[in-house]
Amino acid sequence: MFATTRLICRRIHGTGDVTVPKLSGFSIISPKYLPVRPNIQKASENDWRSKSRRLWRSREQEMFATTRLIGRRIHGTSDVTVPKLSGFSIVSPKHVAVEYADGTKFKFSSEFLRVNSPAADGKVRSIGGDKVISGRRYVGIMSAEPVGNYGVRLVFDDLHRTGIYPWDYFYELGSNKFGLMRNYIKTLQKHHLSREPPPRRK
């Protein structure tokens, strides 16, 4: 294992062996990142924290770019000009209300937001080239966590919590809500699936 690791280092740097400082710390700051901090005297604690924040911002920006791409695919056009957000609220575990500065208001069901989550989901079924999420008619929203100044992470009671919804994405979903829901139902019918959750095993 040690020899393999040194070989990887040589391939990364394109040189011979790399002198590695002694390890002084290891921590899991989230389920997604495993930072390792070498014992370098010149690096201060503030530098380390700054790098961690930049890593998080980079991840959030990547998710934001992915979501905008999804929005463009929904509309089949270039970026949509979205007015500034003026209000967001969870009306109930089943509904979310979003309002924009131009007076536009949207109300979304938790089911609609769940099946249109911008995040990859292990519970998505791939059938005949279609990615389908079924059985979410009664899914609820447990909480909403702000993500920077541009969106929110919705946590659903089916344990899905990786979907980050930028305010632009809510606007794009709302502008095409009925068409998206109609296509979703057609896809379920095509594959003989249902919005109803499967019966519980006794």
Side-chain angles (χ1 to χ4, degrees):
M1 177 64 73
F2 179 69
T4 302
T5 304
R6 293 185 73 85
L7 176 60
I8 292 172
C9 288
R10 289 197 294 271
R11 289 180 176 176
I12 291 174
H13 293 273
T15 61
D17 289 347
V18 178
T19 301
V20 180
K22 184 178 179 181
L23 179 73
S24 65
F26 173 85
S27 63
I28 299 177
I29 60 174
S30 84
K32 302 295 184 182
Y33 301 105
L34 302 177
V36 180
R37 177 172 55 180
N39 184 20
I40 301 175
Q41 295 180 353
K42 294 182 179 180
S44 66
E45 187 68 23
N46 289 335
D47 291 338
W48 176 249
R49 290 177 179 174
S50 177
K51 290 178 181 178
S52 297
R53 286 194 295 268
R54 287 199 299 270
L55 181 63
W56 276 109
R57 284 197 296 268
S58 176
R59 176 61 178 167
E60 291 174 356
Q61 289 169 358
E62 178 184 346
M63 178 65 73
F64 179 68
T66 301
T67 305
R68 290 191 67 83
L69 176 60
I70 293 172
R72 290 197 295 272
R73 288 178 178 175
I74 289 173
H75 293 273
T77 60
S78 58
D79 288 350
V80 178
T81 301
V82 178
K84 186 177 180 180
L85 180 80
S86 62
F88 172 86
S89 62
I90 299 179
V91 180
S92 74
K94 303 296 183 184
H95 293 92
V96 167
V98 184
E99 183 174 357
Y100 293 87
D102 66 347
T104 302
K105 298 180 181 180
F106 298 114
K107 188 175 182 180
F108 302 102
S109 69
S110 54
E111 178 193 15
F112 178 80
L113 293 175
R114 175 64 182 85
V115 300
N116 286 289
S117 171
D121 186 346
K123 295 182 180 180
V124 174
R125 298 177 61 181
S126 181
I127 308 174
D130 294 328
K131 292 185 177 181
V132 185
I133 303 176
S134 60
R136 296 299 192 279
R137 180 189 285 274
Y138 304 114
V139 71
I141 297 173
M142 297 174 61
S143 65
E145 304 168 357
V147 178
N149 294 320
Y150 66 83
V152 64
R153 184 196 312 275
L154 296 181
V155 180
F156 296 86
D157 60 14
D158 67 348
L159 304 183
H160 178 68
R161 59 178 297 114
T162 56
I164 297 177
Y165 297 73
W167 308 130
D168 288 12
Y169 189 51
F170 281 112
Y171 193 90
E172 292 164 352
L173 287 177
S175 299
N176 201 36
K177 181 170 66 172
F178 297 105
L180 288 171
M181 197 64 189
R182 182 172 58 249
N183 291 337
Y184 169 63
I185 293 173
K186 286 182 178 179
T187 301
L188 290 179
Q189 293 173 344
K190 174 183 175 182
H191 299 294
H192 307 289
L193 297 172
S194 173
R195 295 168 62 191
E196 302 294 330
R200 294 184 178 180
R201 296 180 180 179
K202 295 183 180 180

